[in-house]
Amino acid sequence: MKKALIRMLLVLLYCIPFVFLAMNEDATAGTLWFYLVMIISFGALCFGSVRAKAPWMVAVGNILSFVSSCIFVCFFQTKKWGWYFKPFTPYQFVIFETMIAFVIQIIITACLVKKYREDGK
């Protein structure tokens, strides 16, 4: 029961549109700090997925985060977004950031799974 609850919590946390939030903070306040929050959040969720013995959740979670970010971009972008993320459109930038985050998380997940298998945890 505890594992199911932890996995459900991880899925819910992955539904947060981290990429959109980082882009929105960048476009509205001109600060890049929320990109750091996005990286730390994805790293923590990746670590939690491995610890919950559900490394597959990294892929599912990234898909959920990507979809939620696209939905938020669809409804909450402003006209400034049309030129702010040049040479990308806002949707292309969401895809670009999600792909980079996903590749980094896959590498981290592979390293963590290998470490936990070697340690026998």
Coordinates of all heavy atoms in Angstrom, one line a residue, residues 39-87:
I39 N 15.2 21.8 -12.8 CA 16.2 20.8 -12.8 C 16.3 20.0 -11.5 O 16.3 18.8 -11.5 CB 17.6 21.4 -13.1 CG1 17.6 21.9 -14.6 CG2 18.7 20.4 -12.9 CD1 18.8 22.8 -14.9
I40 N 16.2 20.8 -10.4 CA 16.2 20.1 -9.1 C 15.0 19.3 -8.9 O 15.0 18.2 -8.4 CB 16.3 21.2 -8.0 CG1 17.7 21.8 -8.0 CG2 16.1 20.6 -6.6 CD1 17.9 23.1 -7.1
S41 N 13.8 19.8 -9.3 CA 12.6 19.0 -9.2 C 12.6 17.7 -10.0 O 12.2 16.7 -9.5 CB 11.4 19.9 -9.6 OG 11.3 21.0 -8.8
F42 N 13.0 17.8 -11.2 CA 13.1 16.6 -12.0 C 14.1 15.6 -11.5 O 13.9 14.4 -11.5 CB 13.5 17.0 -13.5 CG 12.3 17.4 -14.4 CD1 12.4 18.4 -15.3 CD2 11.1 16.7 -14.3 CE1 11.4 18.8 -16.1 CE2 10.1 17.0 -15.1 CZ 10.2 18.1 -16.0
G43 N 15.2 16.2 -11.0 CA 16.2 15.3 -10.3 C 15.7 14.6 -9.1 O 15.9 13.4 -8.9
A44 N 14.9 15.3 -8.3 CA 14.3 14.7 -7.1 C 13.3 13.7 -7.5 O 13.2 12.6 -6.9 CB 13.7 15.8 -6.2
L45 N 12.5 14.0 -8.5 CA 11.5 13.0 -8.9 C 12.1 11.8 -9.5 O 11.6 10.6 -9.3 CB 10.5 13.7 -9.9 CG 9.6 14.7 -9.3 CD1 8.8 15.5 -10.4 CD2 8.6 14.0 -8.3
C46 N 13.2 12.0 -10.2 CA 13.9 10.8 -10.8 C 14.5 10.0 -9.7 O 14.3 8.7 -9.8 CB 15.0 11.4 -11.7 SG 16.1 10.2 -12.5
F47 N 15.1 10.6 -8.7 CA 15.6 9.8 -7.6 C 14.5 9.1 -6.9 O 14.7 7.9 -6.5 CB 16.4 10.8 -6.7 CG 17.0 10.1 -5.5 CD1 18.1 9.4 -5.6 CD2 16.4 10.2 -4.2 CE1 18.7 8.7 -4.5 CE2 16.9 9.6 -3.1 CZ 18.1 8.8 -3.3
G48 N 13.4 9.8 -6.7 CA 12.3 9.1 -6.0 C 11.7 7.9 -6.8 O 11.3 6.9 -6.2
S49 N 11.7 8.1 -8.1 CA 11.2 7.0 -8.9 C 12.1 5.7 -8.8 O 11.6 4.6 -8.7 CB 11.1 7.4 -10.4 OG 10.2 8.4 -10.5
V50 N 13.4 6.0 -8.8 CA 14.3 4.9 -8.7 C 14.2 4.2 -7.3 O 14.2 3.0 -7.1 CB 15.8 5.3 -9.0 CG1 16.8 4.2 -8.6 CG2 15.9 5.7 -10.4
R51 N 14.1 5.1 -6.2 CA 14.0 4.6 -4.9 C 12.7 3.8 -4.7 O 12.7 2.9 -3.9 CB 14.1 5.7 -3.9 CG 15.4 6.4 -3.7 CD 16.4 5.5 -3.0 NE 16.0 5.4 -1.6 CZ 16.6 4.6 -0.7 NH1 17.7 4.0 -1.1 NH2 16.2 4.5 0.5
A52 N 11.7 4.2 -5.4 CA 10.4 3.5 -5.3 C 10.4 2.2 -6.2 O 9.3 1.6 -6.3 CB 9.2 4.4 -5.7
K53 N 11.5 1.9 -6.8 CA 11.7 0.7 -7.7 C 10.7 0.8 -8.8 O 10.1 -0.2 -9.2 CB 11.5 -0.6 -6.9 CG 12.6 -0.8 -5.8 CD 12.4 -2.1 -5.2 CE 13.5 -2.6 -4.3 NZ 14.2 -1.7 -3.5
A54 N 10.6 2.0 -9.4 CA 9.8 2.2 -10.6 C 10.5 3.2 -11.5 O 10.0 4.3 -11.8 CB 8.4 2.8 -10.1
P55 N 11.6 2.8 -12.1 CA 12.4 3.6 -13.0 C 11.6 4.0 -14.3 O 11.8 5.0 -14.9 CB 13.7 2.9 -13.3 CG 13.4 1.5 -12.9 CD 12.3 1.5 -11.8
W56 N 10.6 3.1 -14.6 CA 9.8 3.4 -15.8 C 9.0 4.7 -15.6 O 8.5 5.3 -16.6 CB 8.9 2.2 -16.1 CG 8.1 1.8 -14.8 CD1 8.5 0.8 -13.9 CD2 6.9 2.3 -14.3 NE1 7.5 0.8 -12.9 CE2 6.5 1.7 -13.2 CE3 6.0 3.3 -14.8 CZ2 5.4 1.9 -12.4 CZ3 4.9 3.6 -14.1 CH2 4.6 2.9 -12.9
M57 N 8.8 5.1 -14.3 CA 8.0 6.2 -14.0 C 8.6 7.5 -14.5 O 8.0 8.5 -14.7 CB 7.7 6.3 -12.5 CG 6.6 7.3 -12.2 SD 6.2 7.3 -10.5 CE 5.7 5.6 -10.2
V58 N 10.0 7.5 -14.8 CA 10.7 8.7 -15.3 C 10.1 9.0 -16.7 O 9.8 10.2 -17.0 CB 12.2 8.4 -15.3 CG1 12.9 9.5 -16.0 CG2 12.7 8.3 -13.9
A59 N 9.9 8.0 -17.5 CA 9.4 8.2 -18.9 C 8.0 8.6 -18.8 O 7.6 9.6 -19.5 CB 9.5 6.9 -19.7
V60 N 7.2 7.9 -18.0 CA 5.7 8.3 -17.9 C 5.6 9.7 -17.3 O 4.8 10.5 -17.8 CB 5.0 7.3 -17.0 CG1 3.6 7.7 -16.7 CG2 5.0 5.9 -17.7
G61 N 6.4 10.0 -16.3 CA 6.3 11.3 -15.7 C 6.7 12.5 -16.6 O 6.1 13.5 -16.6
N62 N 7.7 12.2 -17.4 CA 8.1 13.2 -18.4 C 7.1 13.5 -19.4 O 6.9 14.6 -19.9 CB 9.5 12.9 -19.0 CG 10.6 13.3 -18.2 OD1 10.9 14.5 -18.2 ND2 11.2 12.4 -17.4
I63 N 6.4 12.4 -19.8 CA 5.3 12.6 -20.8 C 4.2 13.4 -20.2 O 3.6 14.3 -20.8 CB 4.8 11.2 -21.3 CG1 5.9 10.6 -22.2 CG2 3.5 11.4 -22.1 CD1 5.6 9.1 -22.5
L64 N 3.8 13.1 -18.9 CA 2.8 13.9 -18.2 C 3.2 15.3 -18.0 O 2.4 16.2 -18.3 CB 2.5 13.2 -16.9 CG 1.8 11.9 -16.9 CD1 1.8 11.3 -15.5 CD2 0.4 12.0 -17.4
S65 N 4.4 15.6 -17.7 CA 4.9 17.0 -17.5 C 4.9 17.7 -18.9 O 4.5 18.9 -18.9 CB 6.3 17.0 -16.9 OG 6.7 18.3 -16.6
F66 N 5.3 17.0 -19.9 CA 5.3 17.6 -21.2 C 3.9 18.0 -21.7 O 3.6 19.1 -22.1 CB 5.9 16.6 -22.3 CG 5.7 17.1 -23.7 CD1 6.5 18.1 -24.2 CD2 4.8 16.4 -24.5 CE1 6.3 18.5 -25.5 CE2 4.7 16.8 -25.8 CZ 5.4 17.9 -26.3
V67 N 2.9 17.1 -21.5 CA 1.6 17.4 -21.9 C 1.0 18.5 -21.0 O 0.3 19.4 -21.6 CB 0.7 16.1 -21.7 CG1 -0.8 16.4 -21.8 CG2 1.1 15.0 -22.7
S68 N 1.2 18.5 -19.7 CA 0.7 19.6 -18.9 C 1.4 20.9 -19.3 O 0.7 22.0 -19.3 CB 0.9 19.3 -17.4 OG 2.2 19.3 -17.1
S69 N 2.6 20.9 -19.6 CA 3.3 22.2 -20.0 C 2.7 22.7 -21.4 O 2.5 23.9 -21.5 CB 4.8 21.9 -20.2 OG 5.4 21.8 -18.9
C70 N 2.5 21.8 -22.3 CA 1.9 22.2 -23.6 C 0.5 22.8 -23.4 O 0.1 23.8 -24.0 CB 1.8 21.0 -24.5 SG 3.4 20.6 -25.3
I71 N -0.3 22.2 -22.5 CA -1.6 22.7 -22.2 C -1.5 24.1 -21.6 O -2.3 25.0 -22.0 CB -2.4 21.7 -21.3 CG1 -2.7 20.4 -22.0 CG2 -3.7 22.4 -20.7 CD1 -3.3 19.3 -21.2
F72 N -0.6 24.3 -20.7 CA -0.5 25.6 -20.1 C 0.0 26.6 -21.1 O -0.4 27.8 -21.0 CB 0.4 25.5 -18.8 CG -0.3 25.1 -17.6 CD1 -0.7 23.8 -17.3 CD2 -0.6 26.1 -16.6 CE1 -1.4 23.5 -16.2 CE2 -1.2 25.8 -15.5 CZ -1.6 24.5 -15.2
V73 N 0.9 26.2 -21.9 CA 1.4 27.1 -23.0 C 0.3 27.5 -23.9 O 0.1 28.7 -24.3 CB 2.6 26.5 -23.8 CG1 2.9 27.3 -25.0 CG2 3.9 26.5 -22.9
C74 N -0.6 26.6 -24.2 CA -1.7 26.8 -25.1 C -2.6 27.9 -24.5 O -3.1 28.8 -25.2 CB -2.5 25.5 -25.3 SG -3.9 25.7 -26.4
F75 N -2.9 27.8 -23.2 CA -3.8 28.7 -22.6 C -3.3 30.0 -21.9 O -4.0 31.0 -21.8 CB -4.7 28.0 -21.5 CG -5.6 27.0 -22.1 CD1 -5.4 25.6 -22.0 CD2 -6.7 27.4 -22.8 CE1 -6.2 24.7 -22.5 CE2 -7.6 26.5 -23.4 CZ -7.3 25.1 -23.2
F76 N -2.0 30.0 -21.5 CA -1.5 31.1 -20.7 C -0.3 31.8 -21.3 O 0.3 32.7 -20.7 CB -1.1 30.6 -19.3 CG -2.2 30.0 -18.6 CD1 -2.3 28.7 -18.3 CD2 -3.2 30.9 -18.1 CE1 -3.4 28.2 -17.6 CE2 -4.3 30.4 -17.4 CZ -4.4 29.0 -17.1
Q77 N 0.1 31.6 -22.6 CA 1.2 32.3 -23.2 C 0.7 33.7 -23.5 O -0.5 33.9 -23.8 CB 1.8 31.6 -24.3 CG 0.9 31.5 -25.6 CD 1.6 30.9 -26.7 OE1 2.7 31.3 -27.0 NE2 0.9 30.0 -27.4
T78 N 1.6 34.7 -23.6 CA 1.2 36.0 -24.0 C 1.9 36.3 -25.3 O 2.6 35.5 -25.9 CB 1.8 37.0 -22.9 OG1 3.2 36.9 -22.9 CG2 1.2 36.8 -21.6
K79 N 1.6 37.5 -25.9 CA 2.2 37.8 -27.2 C 3.7 37.9 -27.1 O 4.4 37.7 -28.1 CB 1.6 39.2 -27.7 CG 0.1 39.1 -28.0 CD -0.4 40.4 -28.6 CE -1.8 40.2 -28.9 NZ -2.3 40.8 -30.1
K80 N 4.2 38.3 -25.9 CA 5.7 38.4 -25.8 C 6.3 37.0 -26.0 O 7.5 37.0 -26.5 CB 6.0 38.8 -24.4 CG 7.4 39.0 -24.1 CD 7.6 39.5 -22.6 CE 9.1 39.8 -22.4 NZ 9.3 40.3 -21.0
W81 N 5.6 35.9 -25.8 CA 6.2 34.6 -25.9 C 6.5 34.3 -27.4 O 7.3 33.5 -27.7 CB 5.2 33.5 -25.4 CG 5.2 33.4 -23.9 CD1 5.1 34.5 -23.0 CD2 5.2 32.3 -23.2 NE1 5.0 34.0 -21.8 CE2 5.1 32.6 -21.8 CE3 5.3 30.9 -23.5 CZ2 5.1 31.7 -20.8 CZ3 5.3 30.0 -22.5 CH2 5.2 30.4 -21.1
G82 N 5.8 35.0 -28.3 CA 6.0 34.8 -29.8 C 7.4 35.1 -30.2 O 7.9 34.5 -31.2
W83 N 8.0 36.1 -29.6 CA 9.4 36.5 -30.0 C 10.4 36.2 -28.9 O 11.6 36.2 -29.2 CB 9.4 37.9 -30.4 CG 8.9 38.9 -29.3 CD1 7.6 39.3 -29.2 CD2 9.7 39.5 -28.3 NE1 7.6 40.2 -28.1 CE2 8.8 40.3 -27.5 CE3 11.0 39.4 -27.9 CZ2 9.2 41.0 -26.4 CZ3 11.4 40.1 -26.8 CH2 10.5 40.9 -26.1
Y84 N 10.0 36.0 -27.7 CA 11.0 35.9 -26.6 C 11.9 34.7 -26.7 O 13.0 34.8 -26.3 CB 10.2 35.9 -25.2 CG 11.1 36.1 -24.0 CD1 11.5 37.3 -23.7 CD2 11.5 35.0 -23.3 CE1 12.4 37.5 -22.6 CE2 12.4 35.2 -22.2 CZ 12.8 36.4 -21.9 OH 13.6 36.6 -20.8
F85 N 11.4 33.6 -27.1 CA 12.2 32.3 -27.1 C 12.8 32.1 -28.5 O 13.1 30.9 -28.8 CB 11.3 31.2 -26.7 CG 10.8 31.3 -25.3 CD1 9.5 31.6 -25.1 CD2 11.6 31.2 -24.2 CE1 9.0 31.8 -23.8 CE2 11.1 31.3 -22.9 CZ 9.8 31.6 -22.7
K86 N 13.0 33.1 -29.3 CA 13.6 32.9 -30.6 C 15.0 32.2 -30.5 O 15.7 32.5 -29.5 CB 13.8 34.3 -31.3 CG 12.5 34.9 -31.7 CD 11.9 34.1 -32.8 CE 10.5 34.7 -33.2 NZ 9.8 34.0 -34.1
P87 N 15.3 31.4 -31.4 CA 14.7 31.0 -32.7 C 13.6 30.0 -32.6 O 13.2 29.5 -33.6 CB 15.9 30.4 -33.4 CG 16.7 29.8 -32.3 CD 16.6 30.7 -31.1

